[in-house]
Amino acid sequence: MTDETPAPAFSLELGEDLREVRDWVHAFARDVIRPAAAEWDEREETPWPILQEAARIGLYSLDFFATQMFHPSGVAVPVVYEELYWGDPGIALALTGTTLAAVAVAANGTQEQVLEWTPQMFGGPDDVRLGAFCSSEPDAGSDVGAIRTRAVYDEAADEWVLNGTKTWITNGGIADVHVVVASVDPALGVRGQASFVVPPRTKGLSQGQKFSKHGIRASHTAEVILDDVRVPGRCLLGGKERLDERLARAREGRSSGGQAAMKTFEASRPAVGAMAVGCARAAYEYTRDYVRQRRQFGRPLGDNQAVAFTLADMATRIDAARLLVWRASWMARHGKDFAQAEGSMSKLFASETATWVTQNAIRLLGGNGYTRDYPVERWHRDATIFTIFEGASEIQRLIIGRTITGLPLR
């Protein structure tokens, strides 16, 4: 180095504050979440008592998640999410599902809107509330450009009128605040969309079908029906002036800036990767301990080279996934562009790792692994969702391929 400015120290070691938060969240996951996981998986209901306990100690709160989101290291959110999802992905999603709606407001809204709406998504210890981000539709999952939910402006009343059906929505219909992605100019496709806040108790919003799912069953997933839902003009995230400018640029063929749903998904991909890492780690650790104790042919199962090699691959893939998640999270926190689609890389590799690890955990436990008496089958069911929601693995590969080639892959 010839520059007089010393190079900053490089370290992957967590600071004392993050270690304390990690250990605190881990203790909650170990003592409160994990013992209740099988029960709430069977019940397929929102675990309100656990949300209330988390709110009572300050874990389920806007202040806590905001503090982690803006931690200077950039890795506070993945550290917290890994521990929660190590406890149980279904219950953890019930605890963190609201944050996607909060991120949508933060990514698309004004400072005034963030301050008004995000506190109403969490409530307090004695009044636990939920938020829901509503993007997917029956014919528009990964293809967000196919969204048909319409938002029409009633200028005389300064209100937006929303009509449509959303599906596969976490906390859908039971949330206090819904954030809805709708088309304001269908001719522009994805560039003609905007996000709207639907306040608590707004007429016309109702829950449709509640889904009985393969995994993450402690998290509520349902349709959201929007039937002439009228919201004040101030509920348009970013405001009408900004929307009109963006639409004008799009109609002229110029760049219209970030799109409502995709800005939210881009911000959340590393966090989903952290969820997958936590689930994979849970299965790996349980399997590692099992093969140490389980005896076959007069010796520990883990004494077999084939078993040890599988464990070695599990551990290696989990560490590699964590590093990809941490890199993307650090980049996002410090305003670095995902020039190589690093956010998509982190979600893709971590989610595929979770499904691979949990599947092999079942195999190493043999018949026991296939029964509900052991948790690895539940973790495998839960892990499947990470390759699907907030951008399926195929979509992540498409994004990465387009980014590294510069070609419009289809």
Side-chain angles (χ1 to χ4, degrees), residues 206-229:
S206 62
Q207 177 185 310
Q209 176 187 1
K210 178 187 176 184
F211 296 104
S212 182
K213 305 189 300 295
H214 177 66
I216 55 167
R217 304 201 309 179
S219 173
H220 175 97
T221 307
E223 290 180 325
V224 174
I225 311 299
L226 302 153
D227 183 11
D228 283 337
V229 172

Side-chain angles (χ1 to χ4, degrees), residues 240-257:
K240 194 167 186 306
E241 182 178 349
R242 186 191 301 179
L243 173 64
D244 288 342
E245 292 175 356
R246 181 161 59 83
L247 294 178
R249 290 196 301 270
R251 290 171 186 136
E252 294 170 1
R254 295 183 290 146
S255 173
S256 59

Side-chain angles (χ1 to χ4, degrees), residues 2 4-5 43 53 105 116 123 198 237 246 297 316 345 360 364 402:
T2 57
E4 294 183 0
T5 304
R43 293 176 63 168
E53 175 63 16
V105 174
E116 178 179 5
V198 180
L237 291 179
R246 181 161 59 83
F297 304 105
T316 301
M345 286 183 180
N360 279 277
L364 292 185
R402 285 174 173 172

Side-chain angles (χ1 to χ4, degrees), residues 100-371:
L100 186 59
V103 167
V105 174
N108 298 286
T110 64
Q111 183 176 2
E112 291 76 16
Q113 289 171 325
V114 172
L115 293 175
E116 178 179 5
W117 296 115
T118 53
Q120 296 186 52
M121 297 180 186
F122 289 88
D126 300 320
D127 181 26
V128 174
R129 300 185 184 185
L130 300 174
F133 178 64
C134 308
S135 175
S136 296
E137 297 182 2
D139 295 317
S142 296
D143 182 11
V144 295
I147 285 176
R148 295 181 179 178
T149 296
R150 285 296 313 275
V152 177
Y153 186 55
D154 181 345
E155 188 170 2
D158 186 25
E159 291 180 334
W160 288 90
V161 185
L162 279 59
N163 283 282
T165 299
K166 297 296 184 177
T167 195
W168 312 308
I169 305 303
T170 299
N171 298 333
I174 66 171
D176 298 273
V177 177
H178 292 75
V179 179
V180 177
V181 179
S183 175
V184 296
D185 189 339
L188 294 175
V190 71
R191 296 182 299 168
Q193 296 172 2
S195 291
F196 300 84
V197 171
V198 180
R201 297 174 296 280
T202 298
K203 294 180 179 179
L205 185 148
S206 62
Q207 177 185 310
Q209 176 187 1
K210 178 187 176 184
F211 296 104
S212 182
K213 305 189 300 295
H214 177 66
I216 55 167
R217 304 201 309 179
S219 173
H220 175 97
T221 307
E223 290 180 325
V224 174
I225 311 299
L226 302 153
D227 183 11
D228 283 337
V229 172
R230 302 184 74 93
V231 298
R234 63 185 178 83
C235 290
L236 166 63
L237 291 179
K240 194 167 186 306
E241 182 178 349
R242 186 191 301 179
L243 173 64
D244 288 342
E245 292 175 356
R246 181 161 59 83
L247 294 178
R249 290 196 301 270
R251 290 171 186 136
E252 294 170 1
R254 295 183 290 146
S255 173
S256 59
Q259 184 275 333
M262 295 312 299
K263 287 177 71 175
T264 302
F265 292 141
E266 288 169 7
S268 66
R269 281 178 189 137
V272 175
M275 299 174 189
V277 170
C279 180
R281 192 183 113 212
Y284 157 71
E285 291 178 356
Y286 191 93
T287 305
R288 178 199 61 199
D289 295 344
Y290 179 90
V291 302
R292 284 172 173 171
Q293 299 171 10
R294 175 74 168 174
R295 297 186 69 84
Q296 292 284 294
F297 304 105
R299 60 179 181 173
L301 185 60
D303 196 29
N304 292 282
Q305 189 178 78
V307 172
F309 279 10
T310 302
L311 285 173
D313 285 343
M314 286 181 175
T316 301
R317 292 190 188 196
I318 290 168
D319 271 14
R322 182 184 296 110
L323 288 172
L324 283 171
V325 167
W326 281 18
R327 178 184 68 169
S329 300
W330 178 86
M331 291 177 69
R333 175 67 181 87
H334 293 278
K336 308 290 184 182
D337 291 335
F338 288 158
Q340 298 294 313
E342 289 88 350
S344 289
M345 286 183 180
S346 69
K347 181 188 182 298
L348 171 65
F349 190 79
S351 60
E352 297 285 336
T353 292
T355 56
W356 185 88
V357 168
T358 53
Q359 181 181 39
N360 279 277
I362 291 176
R363 291 179 58 246
L364 292 185
L365 265 69
N368 286 335
Y370 201 65
T371 70

Side-chain angles (χ1 to χ4, degrees), residues 1-19:
M1 295 284 294
T2 57
D3 197 314
E4 294 183 0
T5 304
F10 174 80
S11 175
L12 288 173
E13 185 177 7
L14 298 179
E16 183 178 357
D17 58 337
L18 275 186
R19 292 198 303 271

